[in-house]
Amino acid sequence: MTKSRQAFKTIAFDADDTLWRNEEIFMNAQDEFIRLLSPYHSEAYIREHLGEVQVRNLGHFGYGIKGFTLSMIETAIELTEGRILGREIQQIIDLAKCMVAMPVEVLPNIEATLKALQSEYRLMVITKGDLLDQESKFARSGLADYFDVIEVVSDKIPATYEQILDKHNIQKEDFLMVGNSLKSDVLPVLDIGATAIHIPYHSTWAHEQVEDNVLASYDNLMQFTDVTLVLEYLNAEKIQEEYV
């Protein structure tokens, strides 16, 4: 029997819809926005147009509530041909403020899992979004002290992960990423030769979804239904290393 060695030294987690609920906040706000514009267009048309504007604006405003708010305002102006009233724009702004102030609801088993991992691994967060909003959510979540590093990035592409690993002197073989988005949290990590685990959330923004034919090219894709299964996986990796 050889000396036991941890398969991974650093475990990184996504934040929104991995550590806490987030997509519901956007979905509920979108429903309120559609009700506001319902005198002008059908629900399906408003929803489709808002989605197109959001994607179009990602390069300008990035991810998060602020970018979403600007996209709602732009959509309202376009779909009303400039007839949207000032008080209706104010309603959109008030809706955004409510989104920012929403309580942070940590997902089941997250804190217990982080507590179990904290003593054995270097824990990180790598998340997209607005820096101020994400900092606020971490402060209110009560989870910040479990993490050694928190990285808020504008996008998650292979180069993003490579830069973060270089910045913190982390070897790819020592790194594990855990997240709910295949497009942002998993596939870019696999593309750089590191390891990632997908924990699906019950709802995913259409822009984050991945076509089945793309997934078929990844034979090393791991999907777990619950974060507690990450612990089982890591324990199995340790046992395997002991008997190599």
Side-chain angles (χ1 to χ4, degrees):
M1 182 185 301
T2 61
K3 185 178 179 181
S4 175
R5 182 188 73 81
Q6 288 184 186
F8 303 103
K9 296 177 181 178
T10 300
I11 303 176
F13 288 82
D14 172 53
D16 293 334
D17 299 321
T18 298
L19 299 179
W20 51 65
R21 300 189 190 282
N22 181 69
E23 184 62 17
E24 289 93 339
I25 296 173
F26 283 82
M27 293 172 65
N28 292 338
Q30 184 172 255
D31 289 343
E32 289 294 324
F33 175 73
I34 289 170
R35 278 192 282 273
L36 177 65
L37 290 190
S38 60
Y40 300 95
H41 291 284
S42 69
E43 174 184 342
Y45 187 72
I46 298 168
R47 193 180 299 276
E48 179 183 3
H49 193 78
L50 176 59
E52 291 172 355
V53 173
Q54 279 184 269
V55 173
R56 188 173 75 202
N57 283 339
L58 285 175
H60 301 291
F61 308 131
Y63 295 84
I65 292 173
K66 291 177 183 176
F68 178 62
T69 304
L70 290 169
S71 291
M72 285 194 291
I73 292 172
E74 183 174 346
T75 299
I77 293 170
E78 290 181 354
L79 293 187
T80 64
E81 297 179 332
R83 290 174 289 161
I84 190 78
L85 301 175
R87 59 179 173 81
E88 292 172 320
I89 296 293
Q90 184 62 57
Q91 286 180 259
I92 297 173
I93 295 171
D94 291 341
L95 180 60
K97 290 179 179 178
C98 288
M99 292 176 70
V100 172
M102 286 293 292
V104 177
E105 185 181 350
V106 176
L107 289 167
N109 303 317
I110 287 295
E111 187 161 13
T113 299
L114 295 177
K115 190 175 294 185
L117 295 172
Q118 187 181 33
S119 62
E120 297 191 55
Y121 300 90
R122 185 186 194 188
L123 298 185
M124 299 179 66
V125 170
I126 303 175
T127 187
K128 293 188 295 191
D130 177 77
L131 178 60
L132 181 62
D133 184 34
Q134 295 292 43
E135 286 179 340
S136 173
K137 284 191 282 190
F138 269 105
R140 290 179 286 136
S141 71
L143 300 179
D145 289 343
Y146 289 108
F147 295 99
D148 301 290
V149 176
I150 296 175
E151 292 276 1
V152 180
V153 298
S154 59
D155 203 357
K156 289 179 176 178
I157 58 177
T160 306
Y161 289 101
E162 289 182 324
Q163 290 166 6
I164 290 174
L165 296 187
D166 287 343
K167 176 181 175 181
H168 297 284
N169 196 27
I170 300 169
Q171 300 300 311
K172 293 174 183 178
E173 60 269 22
D174 296 332
F175 179 75
L176 172 66
M177 180 72 192
V178 180
N180 71 292
S181 171
L182 284 165
K183 182 176 181 179
S184 295
D185 304 322
V186 177
L187 301 190
V189 176
L190 299 182
D191 285 342
I192 68 169
T195 305
I197 291 174
H198 180 222
I199 302 181
Y201 195 61
H202 61 75
S203 58
T204 303
W205 182 29
H207 181 66
E208 291 292 323
Q209 294 175 3
V210 178
E211 297 292 335
D212 289 340
N213 64 319
V214 175
L215 295 180
S217 64
Y218 291 88
D219 57 5
N220 54 344
L221 177 62
M222 290 188 290
Q223 291 185 298
F224 294 161
T225 57
D226 187 87
V227 71
T228 55
L229 297 176
V230 174
L231 288 175
E232 294 183 19
Y233 167 73
L234 292 170
N235 287 334
E237 285 288 298
K238 281 186 183 181
I239 292 171
Q240 184 179 3
E241 286 291 332
E242 288 180 2
Y243 289 91
V244 170

